[in-house]
Amino acid sequence: PYLGVMQLSRGFKAAATMPAGARRHGPWFKSTSKEPSERGKSRDNGGPRSRALRGRSGREKEEDRGEGWGHQARYVGCYEDNTRQRTLRGMSFFDYKKMTVFRCQDNCAERGYLYAGLEFGAECYCGHKIQASNASESECNMECKGERSNTCGGINRLSIYRLELAQESARRYGSAIFRGCFRQPENLSIALPASQLMLNMSVDKCVDFCTEKEFPLAALAGTTCRCGFPSTRFPLHEREDEQLCAHKCAAEEFESCGSAEFLLVYQTQVQDNRCMDRRFLPSRAKQLVALASFPGAGNTWARHLIELATGFYTGSYYFDGSLYNKGFKGERDHWRSGRTICIKTHESGQKEIESFDSAILLIRNPYKALMAEFNRKYGGHIGFAAHAHWKGKEWPEFVANYAPWWATHTLDWLRYGKKVLVVHFEDLKRDLFVQLQRMVALLGVPACEDRLLCVEGQKDGNFKRSGLRKLEYDPYTPEMRKAISGYIRTVDAALKLRNLSGVPEDYLPR
C-alpha cells in the first residue's frame, strides 16, 4: 500500500553550497561556565557573521543576483589539474547541470578565497594559491553547463580567476570555525607539522598562516601558531574547559591565544582532501547492503558521509538525476550492479527488503522527518515548501498518508530484514565518529580512522536546508500529535523487543 509514495519526482532547486560559518573568537573574559561541551555547542551555532559576509543577500537570490563579488574577478589562465594533487586545494562543489563562472567565483569569494577555478564544465574549486603549471588555452575547451557562452575548463584543466574585490578584508575575516580548547598532543611536530613563532599573535594571524599553508586546523599556543589535520594523534574529541585556554593574545586585547600546554583550535576554510576521492568498487560486491530509511530521514546526507568515509560510491534503488548532477555517480547504476558500497532505498515491502543481504536502517524523529520530506516534495532537496502548502490541504493529507508509513517502514525492516543495523539520525548528528564507525564496520570496509576524522571536519556537505526559513508556527494539530505519539510508542516497543535501545527521548513531546 505504501509503494506509490516512493516513486516521487525529485526536484533540486537550491544551490549546492554550504552556508559559511561565522568566525568565532576565543572565549577570553566571557566565560563563567565550567561546562565545556555546552559552551562549545552555543558557540558553534551562534556567533556574529564574519565581517566579510555582513550585509549579503539571502542564498535564495544567489542565481539571479547581478552584481557582487564575481564581477571583480580577473581571468589568469588555463592550468593543469590532477585528481591526486589538486591545483586549488580549498573548498569545492559540483553542479553537472547549472554551473556558471559567476556562481563559482561568488562562492569562492564569499568564503574569502583568492582564486576560483572551473573544470570539466561543472566543477568549481577554490584556493589561496595555484599549485600547478600553465596549460595551453586551447585545452580549456568545455562550455559551462549553466551558460553555453562561457568556458569552464576542460578535462583535468582549470579556467582560473583571481578574485579582486575586498580581497584583504574578505581573506582576513574568512569564516574560521571555533573548535574548542585542547590539551597539547604528544609528538607535537608530527601531530601539527607546520608552526611559526608569532610574538604579536592573534586569531586572524594564526588562521591566515595555516590557511596559506593549506591546513584545515589552526592551533594557537601562546606565541606559537601551529597547523595540521585532525588525526589519530590529534582527534579533537577530548575538549577541555575553555578557561584553561583563556590567555590573552599579545596583539589583541579581547581574544584568547591559548598557551603552550592548552591549544585554542580553529578550523580554517581549507578543505581536508584526505577523504574527498571516491570511486566504484574494484571488484563486484559480495553482498547487497541497503541504506534504508523513511523519506526525509537524512538518507542523502548519510550517503555523503559513507562515500567520504569509505572512498566508494553509494547506489540507489531509484534513479535521481538531480543527485547524479550533484556528484552521486552511483545514482546511474542499476542497484544490483555490485559496483556500489550500499544502496539507498525507501521501500518497505517484504519482497524488496528480502532482496538485500543486510541493511543500515536510519530512523529519524517523525516530526522532523515528515517536515523535511514535505519540504523536499514541494521545494526540492534543499529547498522549502511554500506557505500555501503548509496552510492548505496538502499538509494534513500528507501527514495522514505518511505518518503511519513512518512506523510501518521501521517495523517491516525489523521484521523482514537480514542483519539490520539501526542508526538514529539524531545520534549520527551528535556523535558522528562513533556512529560512522558502526556503519563502516557493517559495510565490511576497513575503517581508516584519519579518514573518519576528515569526514567529521566537513560533515555537512551540501545537503542541509539552510535554517533561514523556519516555520513561525507549529504545523502539527493536537490530533496529528496524538496519532504520531502512538506510532512512536509502537516503534519504540518494537526496537526494545529486539534488545535495541528505544527511540531517542526527544521524539516524544514531554
Side-chain angles (χ1 to χ4, degrees), residues 96 123 280 307 313-314 323-324 327-333:
Y96 293 93
E123 302 176 359
F280 287 106
E307 292 194 357
Y313 288 119
T314 57
L323 286 179
Y324 181 82
F328 284 98
K329 290 292 193 302
E331 206 49 49
R332 250 190 201 161
D333 273 37

Side-chain angles (χ1 to χ4, degrees), residues 155-345:
I155 296 170
N156 292 334
R157 293 292 179 268
L158 282 162
S159 303
I160 296 184
Y161 293 83
R162 185 184 162 98
L163 306 166
E164 303 288 0
L165 182 70
Q167 205 58 71
E168 284 315 305
S169 65
R171 205 163 108 244
R172 263 188 62 115
Y173 298 106
S175 44
I177 296 166
F178 179 71
R179 291 296 296 266
C181 175
F182 300 89
R183 195 178 290 277
Q184 176 186 304
E186 287 167 24
N187 297 347
L188 194 57
S189 58
I190 302 174
L192 298 167
S195 70
Q196 174 108 340
L197 184 68
M198 294 186 175
L199 296 175
N200 59 347
M201 169 81 95
S202 72
V203 174
D204 282 331
K205 287 194 181 80
C206 183
V207 165
D208 277 354
F209 171 73
C210 295
T211 300
E212 201 58 44
K213 293 268 179 229
E214 303 284 354
F215 284 103
L217 294 183
L220 290 79
T223 50
T224 306
C225 169
R226 299 186 180 278
C227 322
F229 293 95
S231 67
T232 41
R233 296 179 185 281
F234 195 44
L236 302 188
H237 288 155
E238 304 295 320
R239 248 183 210 204
E240 301 289 344
D241 183 337
E242 280 170 35
Q243 283 302 304
L244 297 169
C245 282
H247 298 273
K248 204 161 60 156
C249 293
E252 288 285 345
E253 193 186 344
F254 300 124
E255 288 180 2
S256 304
C257 274
S259 67
E261 199 184 343
F262 292 100
L263 315 181
L264 206 55
V265 177
Y266 286 80
Q267 188 167 331
T268 72
Q269 304 165 324
V270 174
Q271 187 161 289
D272 185 344
N273 285 325
R274 293 172 304 167
C275 58
M276 291 310 282
D277 58 302
R278 290 167 297 169
R279 56 199 177 108
F280 287 106
L281 292 172
S283 57
R284 201 184 158 91
K286 295 185 180 41
Q287 50 162 0
L288 282 178
V289 186
L291 176 64
S293 76
F294 176 75
N299 200 305
T300 305
W301 179 56
R303 286 175 70 183
H304 163 75
L305 298 175
I306 288 168
E307 292 194 357
L308 294 188
T310 63
F312 295 115
Y313 288 119
T314 57
S316 174
Y317 195 75
Y318 320 96
F319 168 62
D320 182 340
S322 73
L323 286 179
Y324 181 82
N325 289 334
K326 295 287 176 272
F328 284 98
K329 290 292 193 302
E331 206 49 49
R332 250 190 201 161
D333 273 37
H334 185 274
W335 64 282
R336 281 187 181 279
S337 76
R339 297 204 307 159
T340 53
I341 190 87
C342 65
I343 291 112
K344 156 198 174 165
T345 176

Side-chain angles (χ1 to χ4, degrees), residues 81-218:
D81 193 22
N82 102 49
T83 51
R84 291 261 158 251
Q85 275 296 70
R86 288 282 171 206
T87 301
L88 295 174
R89 298 183 192 164
M91 194 215 61
S92 60
F93 76 99
F94 313 134
D95 192 328
Y96 293 93
K97 213 168 198 161
K98 288 202 305 221
M99 183 61 77
T100 66
V101 171
F102 175 76
R103 189 171 154 201
C104 176
Q105 292 170 353
D106 197 44
N107 277 287
C108 295
E110 184 178 289
R111 289 170 178 75
Y113 286 105
L114 278 168
Y115 295 101
L118 296 108
E119 184 170 327
F120 200 61
E123 302 176 359
C124 172
Y125 297 89
C126 314
H128 290 281
K129 51 181 190 271
I130 301 174
Q131 310 197 51
S133 41
N134 271 84
S136 126
E137 282 305 312
S138 61
E139 292 172 32
C140 282
N141 52 13
M142 292 178 81
E143 43 188 35
C144 307
K145 297 289 188 189
E147 48 177 357
R148 292 291 150 85
S149 55
N150 247 326
T151 303
C152 282
I155 296 170
N156 292 334
R157 293 292 179 268
L158 282 162
S159 303
I160 296 184
Y161 293 83
R162 185 184 162 98
L163 306 166
E164 303 288 0
L165 182 70
Q167 205 58 71
E168 284 315 305
S169 65
R171 205 163 108 244
R172 263 188 62 115
Y173 298 106
S175 44
I177 296 166
F178 179 71
R179 291 296 296 266
C181 175
F182 300 89
R183 195 178 290 277
Q184 176 186 304
E186 287 167 24
N187 297 347
L188 194 57
S189 58
I190 302 174
L192 298 167
S195 70
Q196 174 108 340
L197 184 68
M198 294 186 175
L199 296 175
N200 59 347
M201 169 81 95
S202 72
V203 174
D204 282 331
K205 287 194 181 80
C206 183
V207 165
D208 277 354
F209 171 73
C210 295
T211 300
E212 201 58 44
K213 293 268 179 229
E214 303 284 354
F215 284 103
L217 294 183

